[in-house]
Amino acid sequence: MTTGFATFPDASAFRLLNMSAPLCLIDGGSFAADRDGLARIDLAIADGRIESLLPAGTETLRDDQPTLDLEGGLVLPRLVDCHTHLDKGHIWPRSPNPDGTFPGALTAVANDREANWSALDVRTRMDFSLRTAFAHGTAAIRTHLDSLGKQIGISWPVYAEMRERWVGRIALQASPLFGVEQALDPAHMAVVIAAVKMHGDGLLGCVTYMIPELDRALDILFRAASENGFDLDFHVDESNDPAARSLEHIADAALRHRFTGKILCGHCCSLSLQAPEDEARIIGKVKEAGIGVVSLPLCNLYLQDRQAGRTPRWRGVTALHELKAAGVPVMVASDNTRDPFYAYGDLDLVEVLREATRILQLDHSGSDWPCAVARTPAAVMGLDGVGVLAAGGPADLILTRARSWTEFFARPQGDRSILVAGRAIDRTLPGYRELDHLMGRAS
Ligand SMILES: [Zn+2]
């Protein structure tokens, strides 16, 4: 058992003093921030909740309550991962990507799914992933579930079972994943919508790309979402081809249907390769349609612009700064973990924010980027009181020894401490050997 660097008072009520918190993640009160956008705060914890959140030094200390001085260490709320693939995670040892490319990933996953994704296989890998994310300090996860043929009847019931099992630790949501051309098949749509209604969370989605009948397929999806009160979540333009503009088609469809649900679009890589006037027009429509955009920088850096024998020249990420400047809600998330779409990854949002800061140069561009793994995805997922620090909210905290962003991002924060409902959790990560028994079968 390891609970990180901090030793918390063994009490239901205690005080955490002298911490640095991102001002952008504090709800209520009046705080002064330093040039990193960090405010010095004190917290009173009682019965699993934040009883008070005040500027450091202003808390009236009571003699009967234990205190812990964090000496300026950064505190975050537990974080929100709005784009993952729990059904694919950790299949790498038995089904690696043969060449590190996007087509290589598609083929390897399809073969592995067909051969190996039994309920036991999916459940075991999902549970491993959830224990990992929990140990890193994640409060909520949205996963995509490959929803094709026989897999629909296997993955969705397992997902629903895991969502129930994890209540109170990680809030889970799932969105179906299939190629957009499948939307043209009424039989497929009927099965997917039935699975979402029975096991899902009011979320419909697919992968979009430039098929000739894209608008007709999108009309079918938007109509189904409107009729059933579903939100929408798309994988969009995960490509370096500037002709990939399905993001604009999704925005047009949202406006055409006067869609009132939430829409989240992931990837949108080719947006950053558009001519400036095209990029501006598309971003304008995305804003008008109320679409949120989540960038998956780790996966993009791995897959995009890869050619044998040639050094990559492009980071693969979408135009996230321009989207944010236009007022589009922007996020970053984990995406794949140890599967053919991304060989690495551990569902650690501290790593994702650190790497996003480097890959997307989030530094030197305002101090509210922590919202991209906390407040903003929580809002998209409709989660109240998650991804923020607020009096009355849950005492769900990530605590570190880092006093500034340079200290925070320079190290992996492997010794962070995590409170869930005011109690320190065991941060021991599950070992990969646990999964060895699933890795023997060739796909
Ligand atoms: Zn994805």
Side-chain angles (χ1 to χ4, degrees):
M1 166 116 175
T2 173
T3 55
F5 76 98
T7 304
F8 295 94
D10 186 20
S12 65
F14 56 93
R15 311 256 158 172
L16 299 176
L17 304 179
N18 196 20
M19 292 172 292
S20 301
L23 190 63
C24 64
L25 298 181
I26 299 175
D27 272 353
S30 178
F31 299 86
D34 66 12
R35 64 180 179 181
D36 271 356
L38 300 173
R40 285 291 175 107
I41 64 164
D42 293 341
L43 291 175
I45 311 291
D47 300 323
R49 307 199 77 78
I50 298 174
E51 191 179 48
S52 71
L53 192 171
L54 292 168
T58 58
E59 188 88 349
T60 308
L61 295 180
R62 285 167 32 187
D63 291 340
D64 59 338
Q65 281 190 350
T67 62
L68 180 64
D69 186 339
L70 276 302
E71 301 177 335
L74 241 158
V75 60
L76 299 168
R78 284 205 302 153
L79 302 174
V80 180
D81 212 341
C82 68
H83 183 129
T84 70
H85 295 266
L86 300 182
D87 57 346
K88 293 188 176 78
H90 302 286
I91 65 172
W92 181 273
R94 69 184 184 208
S95 292
N97 187 323
D99 55 7
T101 65
F102 194 86
L106 277 178
T107 305
V109 164
N111 291 340
D112 190 80
R113 184 175 61 234
E114 197 60 33
N116 296 323
W117 290 21
S118 65
L120 178 67
D121 179 70
V122 173
R123 184 187 298 114
T124 306
R125 291 184 292 99
M126 268 192 189
D127 186 66
F128 185 95
S129 293
L130 288 165
R131 283 184 284 137
T132 303
F134 185 70
H136 285 310
T138 295
I141 292 178
R142 178 178 289 183
T143 183
H144 298 265
L145 296 177
D146 281 18
S147 296
L148 287 163
K150 69 174 183 181
Q151 201 60 45
I152 297 171
I154 299 171
S155 293
W156 281 90
V158 169
Y159 159 73
E161 174 196 328
M162 298 309 284
R163 183 185 54 207
E164 290 311 304
R165 201 187 288 180
W166 278 82
V167 164
R169 292 180 291 168
I170 295 178
L172 279 170
Q173 292 182 357
S175 180
L177 189 60
F178 51 84
V180 66
E181 70 282 356
Q182 297 278 326
L184 300 167
D185 176 357
H188 170 78
M189 286 302 290
V191 174
V192 167
I193 289 168
V196 170
K197 282 182 172 175
M198 179 167 289
H199 302 293
D201 308 282
L203 262 175
L204 187 61
C206 72
V207 190
T208 61
Y209 27 74
M210 302 302 286
I211 59 169
E213 291 181 291
L214 177 60
D215 292 331
R216 190 161 80 80
L218 287 172
D219 281 342
I220 290 167
L221 285 156
F222 273 86
R223 214 173 293 128
S226 293
E227 285 169 7
N228 292 288
F230 293 162
D231 289 341
L232 287 164
D233 193 318
F234 296 103
H235 277 67
V236 182
D237 303 330
E238 194 174 353
S239 164
N240 67 347
D241 180 0
R245 287 186 188 167
S246 69
L247 179 60
E248 184 169 21
H249 289 258
I250 292 169
D252 285 338
L255 295 169
R256 183 164 69 241
H257 286 261
R258 297 187 173 82
F259 188 69
T260 55
K262 295 191 180 86
I263 306 170
L264 181 59
C265 288
H267 293 293
C268 311
C269 304
S270 61
L271 178 64
S272 61
L273 299 174
Q274 301 296 325
E277 62 273 21
D278 293 326
E279 182 187 292
R281 182 189 69 252
I282 295 168
I283 290 175
K285 288 183 183 182
V286 167
K287 163 68 177 161
E288 190 186 349
I291 295 170
V293 172
V294 56
S295 181
L296 297 313
L298 299 172
C299 196
N300 294 158
L301 199 64
Y302 178 78
L303 285 177
Q304 299 299 316
D305 206 21
R306 187 189 287 269
Q307 289 176 47
R310 177 185 173 275
T311 306
R313 312 295 154 97
W314 178 46
R315 299 180 188 211
V317 287
T318 192
L320 206 65
H321 289 277
E322 292 81 354
L323 288 159
K324 181 167 180 268
V328 172
V330 294
M331 290 143 266
V332 292
S334 290
D335 210 6
N336 301 74
T337 47
R338 298 183 66 245
D339 70 39
F341 286 90
Y342 183 47
Y344 319 109
D346 207 32
L347 296 177
D348 178 0
L349 285 166
V350 170
E351 182 200 15
V352 171
L353 184 61
R354 181 178 69 243
E355 295 307 315
T357 298
R358 295 167 175 168
I359 296 164
L360 287 145
Q361 296 184 347
L362 304 183
D363 40 13
H364 303 284
S365 64
S367 57
D368 59 350
W369 283 106
C371 291
V373 289
R375 179 191 291 278
T376 310
V380 166
M381 290 175 66
L383 303 169
D384 287 332
V386 179
V388 293
L389 299 168
D396 288 4
L397 307 173
I398 299 173
L399 299 117
T400 73
R401 299 172 68 204
R403 297 163 300 172
S404 60
W405 291 120
T406 174
E407 290 184 2
F408 186 80
F409 289 132
R411 289 181 175 169
Q413 304 308 326
D415 64 347
R416 76 192 81 153
S417 290
I418 290 155
L419 290 182
V420 177
R423 294 281 173 184
I425 65 158
D426 184 4
R427 290 217 48 245
T428 307
L429 293 166
Y432 297 126
R433 286 166 188 78
E434 272 187 37
L435 298 176
D436 284 352
H437 69 287
L438 297 176
M439 297 300 139
R441 288 164 287 169
S443 60

